[in-house]
Amino acid sequence: MFGVLGVLGGGALASHAYSNSRQAIPNSAYGPTLWRNETIEKLFPATVGDTPNYTYEVSNKKVAQWSRMGISQDTSCAKGLSGETEKKAEKLGCKAVLRATYVDLTGEMVATVAIVVLPEGTAGQEMGEYLDEQEHADVPDGAVVPFAVPGTLAAKWQENRRNGMGGDALGGGELPYAIAVTAGAVDGRTAGNLPGEFGDYAANDEDRKPWMDAANALSGIFYTNLGNLER
């Protein structure tokens, strides 16, 4: 699929046909279509951050932790995901993968966030369970294909610089999506196996942990964002 994000950028429904955005009750009819009907600014805000309570949106600049570098216009599942993650998504009937790249406010971490669009039913939850398993694997799958953005801190962001991944699911039928994130260092430093005894007792996991934690935190932020958009 190509061009979907361009349509999104053109504007959303003037008001949700099925819901009032101020309502606190999720609207199950709108949930599966929000990826096509919300503006790109709503799906991938210019800045995002973890919210201290429900009164904040993840896009509130007061909680900003990450700045958006760019958004991919290629929504192909095969181009957006990699390895076993791509195979799993395709098996579950992946419809599209929307990606955007962010850099944290220190300018040291870069990450690509993917919203994986799946069929209604249990596919979203199954994808989330798979991503959770990868988070605890000895060598986690990279999951998301990095989206490099020329002229920004993410200009050299590529697959061999991926250090960590994370994910969340919004399953249960109403929100048939999974969030997958891959993260790395802006300067290209890569996590690896420590030599000799330094690599014993899960030390190699600790070498990857900062990026895994960052990817997990970012996936949680977008979990919250999509949930809010459904209302």
Side-chain angles (χ1 to χ4, degrees), residues 5-190:
L5 293 180
V7 174
L8 288 172
L13 298 175
S15 60
H16 294 168
Y18 305 108
S19 68
N20 184 320
S21 63
R22 294 185 181 276
Q23 291 179 345
I25 302 172
N27 189 307
S28 60
Y30 183 67
T33 68
L34 68 82
W35 70 279
R36 290 186 283 105
N37 292 322
E38 290 289 344
T39 65
I40 198 62
E41 288 294 328
K42 291 286 187 68
L43 288 170
F44 293 117
T47 64
V48 296
D50 195 16
T51 58
N53 57 57
Y54 72 93
T55 65
Y56 287 81
E57 296 289 339
V58 302
S59 58
N60 191 314
K61 292 190 181 298
K62 291 181 179 179
V63 299
Q65 297 166 322
W66 297 82
S67 293
R68 190 186 67 212
M69 298 291 105
I71 301 165
S72 173
Q73 294 190 28
D74 187 340
T75 64
S76 162
C77 298
K79 295 291 183 64
L81 303 175
S82 66
E84 294 301 316
T85 301
E86 189 270 332
K87 293 178 183 177
K88 180 69 174 180
E90 294 282 13
K91 183 177 180 181
L92 291 171
C94 181
K95 294 181 176 181
V97 173
L98 316 182
R99 287 178 298 155
T101 292
Y102 286 79
V103 169
D104 81 328
L105 297 190
T106 69
E108 295 183 357
M109 282 194 177
V110 59
T112 295
V113 179
I115 299 174
V116 184
V117 184
L118 296 156
E120 294 180 59
T122 62
Q125 193 59 43
E126 288 184 51
M127 193 71 203
E129 291 171 358
Y130 167 81
L131 292 170
D132 184 62
E133 291 172 1
Q134 287 302 308
E135 290 171 21
H136 299 92
D138 291 338
V139 182
D141 190 69
V144 181
V145 176
F147 174 61
V149 186
T152 74
L153 289 171
K156 296 182 179 180
W157 180 217
Q158 56 193 19
E159 292 189 38
N160 63 5
R161 294 188 173 197
R162 294 181 294 188
N163 288 334
M165 58 80 60
D168 264 307
L170 293 93
E174 290 81 8
L175 284 175
Y177 309 111
I179 307 297
V181 179
T182 190
V186 167
D187 64 8
R189 284 175 295 163
T190 56

